[in-house]
Amino acid sequence: MLNFNWFLDGSIVGVYILLSLIVGLIIKKYVKNVDDFLVAGRSVDLYVGMASLAATEFGIITCMAASQLGYKYGFSGATVGLLMSIIMFTVGKTGFCIEPLRRAGVVTIPEFFEKKFGRKIRWASGVVIVLGGLLNMGVFLRTGGEFLVYVAGLNPKYLEITMTILLLIVAVYTIFGGMLSVLVTDYMQFLLMSIGLVLTTFTIFYKLGWNKLFDTVIEKYGEGGLNPFVHPQLGWQYVLYTALVLSATVLTWQTMISRVLSAKDEKVAKKIYTRTSMFYIVRSLIPVLWGVAALSLISLDSVGGAPIKAMPKMLSTLLPSGIIGILVAAMLAADMSTDSSYLLGWASVIYNDILVIFHKNSWEEKKAIFVNRLLVALIGIFLLLYGLWYPLKSDLWVYMTLTATIYSVSVSTLLIAACYWKKANDWGAYASIIVGAIIPISFLIAQQVDPLKPIAKAIGPYYSGISAFVFAWIAMIAGSYMKNIFVKDVR
């Protein structure tokens, strides 16, 4: 039986959404130029940056993904959070790539590439980033809507309308307030999200107890439920692939890097990463715990064989009215934070790196801000048409992994080379971009073509992903050396 009360819980959700819209619009008057709109005037302090980054990187889709890992792999599913925490802390402590990136005073990573590889690489990397980012984000709205359907008992036929209204609210305050609105609303959303996560987790522990959760994992998965290296579906290749993907994400994902570029200076940027790193264990472990709780209560048959639906179904019956309203508001807050940051992040790359061939940084501030606002609106329309009203038919997780990897493999290679390898050049950059995209795309095609399916199955997604990183670097090194030899010979 659903416990969502539309008067009590619905009021909690409605008041919060209205408050977010009002606060986001109030910030509009502080936006004076493009730097204010895209990077908050590079004035973000440590604690606002931490809260904003934490809120942005925890959306409904993140929660659903982590809970699915908990349902399928037990506590081994929390490997993602542990690795992410270690990588973020290491990058923040050493300043690896992010220190020279912030010191350069750029708005986006492709702008940084122009200094090393030239304007054409800036444009090409911008295209790859936007394509990968938008396609990755295309599934966010529907996943968030499906969470509401199961937790709040929302009528499925109103899913598109409900999520469209929510996106419109997010788009409105992002369009008018830019990064300043995103930061302020992120801070509010982080506070509410934290309350919702804590209350829900304590309720699960109170009703089920730690022993039941632990015993369920051992019963279902044995030692593999605690150790990913011995889990038959995971293993060392899963851990290595995950570490590579997360490293690339920490260094290149636009919504994360935008916090680095918005920070007051490189010292604050580094501290944002080190101080936020511990949150990523919580970000993974809490939804994994929810997934394990669903494993103990919800059978796979009752959710049509789809593990991703088990967690929201469990919450809808386990949480009492009031707490479930706070949770839904918290999840919507997290989703609004994620959506607003992604809208602004991809718009900033389109304006700063793709449209640069038209404006050449010469447009007056009012025109530049108007174009950025228009881009946010157009991206919002794309999300509605692509990801909500016309839902994807392919597997969600294969799709998301491939779209993220298509750009993060090559862009992370370019970033490291631009920062630390003097011999890197545009030939190597072009080769890395091409190879980094071809391998994951080829694997996706192989999974869909009958004669190639046995090959794809034999290789598996983890070996395919690892090879993408390896060959992207080989392409960078080989391409750079070829140019050095060829140009030298010509001279």
Side-chain angles (χ1 to χ4, degrees):
M1 183 182 70
L2 291 172
N3 293 329
F4 189 89
N5 183 296
W6 279 100
F7 177 75
L8 175 61
D9 299 313
S11 297
I12 294 173
V13 175
V15 168
Y16 176 75
I17 291 176
L18 181 61
L19 182 62
S20 293
L21 177 61
I22 293 172
V23 171
L25 290 177
I26 290 174
I27 304 301
K28 175 181 179 293
K29 64 181 180 181
Y30 297 103
V31 178
K32 306 297 183 185
N33 53 49
V34 174
D35 265 7
D36 288 341
F37 190 85
L38 295 180
V39 289
R42 303 187 195 279
S43 60
V44 176
D45 64 21
L46 176 60
Y47 297 106
V48 172
M50 288 170 58
S52 178
L53 180 57
T56 296
E57 294 304 313
F58 189 92
I60 291 177
I61 197 163
T62 305
C63 186
M64 295 277 274
S67 68
Q68 184 185 40
L69 292 175
Y71 192 93
K72 291 179 67 176
Y73 309 123
F75 293 116
S76 289
T79 303
V80 174
L82 179 60
L83 289 173
M84 187 73 161
S85 179
I86 294 171
I87 293 166
M88 277 202 72
F89 182 84
T90 303
V91 170
K93 196 68 176 177
T94 61
F96 183 69
C97 287
I98 66 170
E99 188 168 11
L101 192 61
R102 174 61 188 88
R103 193 184 299 123
V106 296
V107 175
T108 60
I109 291 178
E111 183 182 349
F112 181 73
F113 291 161
E114 183 178 0
K115 301 174 184 290
K116 178 73 174 179
F117 303 117
R119 177 155 291 191
K120 291 181 179 179
I121 292 296
R122 175 181 178 178
W123 188 87
S125 60
V127 170
V128 172
I129 287 174
V130 169
L131 286 176
L134 288 181
L135 291 175
N136 183 273
M137 190 184 177
V139 295
F140 285 16
L141 280 178
R142 177 157 293 277
T143 304
E146 289 174 348
F147 177 87
L148 291 179
V149 166
Y150 281 93
V151 174
L154 182 70
N155 191 324
K157 70 179 183 180
Y158 298 126
L159 185 152
E160 286 83 4
I161 295 174
T162 303
M163 297 311 292
T164 299
I165 293 172
L166 185 65
L167 178 64
L168 286 174
I169 293 170
V170 174
V172 166
Y173 72 69
T174 306
I175 287 170
F176 287 104
M179 180 60 81
L180 290 173
S181 284
V182 169
L183 289 169
V184 173
T185 52
D186 276 358
Y187 197 81
M188 295 167 47
Q189 287 151 3
F190 174 74
L191 295 176
L192 181 59
M193 179 185 72
S194 300
I195 294 171
L197 293 179
V198 170
L199 283 176
T200 300
T201 304
F202 272 119
T203 303
I204 289 174
F205 275 128
Y206 175 76
K207 291 195 172 185
L208 297 181
W210 168 256
N211 289 337
K212 183 175 178 61
L213 299 179
F214 186 83
D215 292 343
T216 298
V217 169
I218 297 299
E219 179 186 345
K220 295 285 186 179
Y221 303 118
E223 187 182 353
L226 305 175
N227 184 352
F229 289 98
V230 300
H231 196 292
Q233 293 179 275
L234 301 177
W236 68 266
Q237 64 271 26
Y238 165 79
V239 177
L240 176 58
Y241 172 65
T242 302
L244 290 171
V245 170
L246 294 177
S247 297
T249 300
V250 167
L251 294 177
T252 66
W253 201 245
Q254 179 60 29
T255 52
M256 297 184 71
I257 289 299
S258 64
R259 270 60 185 176
V260 170
L261 300 176
S262 302
K264 288 182 178 180
D265 52 44
E266 53 266 26
K267 290 183 179 179
V268 172
K270 290 166 65 176
K271 286 183 178 179
I272 288 175
Y273 265 35
T274 54
R275 302 281 181 89
T276 314
S277 62
M278 292 304 295
F279 166 77
Y280 282 85
I281 296 179
V282 177
R283 169 187 183 251
S284 176
L285 185 57
I286 285 181
V288 165
L289 282 170
W290 296 2
V292 171
L295 180 65
S296 67
L297 297 175
I298 307 296
S299 69
L300 195 58
D301 291 338
S302 67
V303 288
I308 197 169
K309 299 177 181 178
M311 180 271 290
K313 184 173 182 179
M314 177 272 298
L315 293 178
S316 69
T317 57
L318 190 68
L319 298 182
S321 182
I323 290 181
I324 201 169
I326 294 174
L327 173 67
V328 171
M331 289 294 100
L332 287 177
D335 224 39
M336 290 168 71
S337 177
T338 300
D339 290 346
S340 61
S341 294
Y342 276 59
L343 287 170
L344 190 63
W346 308 132
S348 68
V349 176
I350 294 173
Y351 173 80
N352 199 57
D353 304 305
I354 297 178
L355 297 183
V356 68
I357 60 176
F358 300 108
H359 62 71
K360 299 178 181 178
N361 296 320
S362 62
W363 287 350
E364 61 181 19
E365 296 294 346
K366 286 185 178 179
K367 182 177 181 180
I369 293 174
F370 171 78
V371 171
N372 275 280
R373 286 171 170 162
L374 180 62
L375 289 172
V376 171
L378 291 174
I379 292 171
I381 293 172
F382 165 81
L383 294 178
L384 287 176
L385 296 177
Y386 184 82
L388 188 58
W389 292 98
Y390 298 95
L392 294 170
K393 303 296 183 181
S394 60
D395 182 80
L396 174 64
W397 302 114
V398 171
Y399 173 84
M400 287 190 66
T401 301
L402 286 172
T403 51
T405 306
I406 284 169
Y407 103 68
S408 64
V409 168
S410 59
V411 174
S412 62
T413 303
L414 266 65
L415 179 61
I416 295 171
C419 289
Y420 303 110
W421 191 35
K422 292 182 180 180
K423 294 184 179 180
N425 56 49
D426 58 334
W427 282 26
Y430 279 125
S432 186
I433 290 173
I434 293 169
V435 171
I438 284 178
I439 292 177
I441 291 174
S442 299
F443 183 77
L444 177 60
I445 293 173
Q447 285 185 315
Q448 305 301 319
V449 178
D450 288 336
L452 299 177
K453 283 182 180 180
I455 299 175
K457 186 176 181 180
I459 296 173
Y462 308 140
Y463 286 118
S464 174
I466 293 169
S467 68
F469 283 93
V470 172
F471 284 106
W473 264 108
I474 291 174
M476 167 60 76
I477 294 169
S480 296
Y481 274 116
M482 284 179 64
K483 180 175 182 178
N484 290 334
I485 294 170
F486 178 78
V487 172
K488 191 175 182 179
D489 288 346
V490 169
R491 289 176 181 174

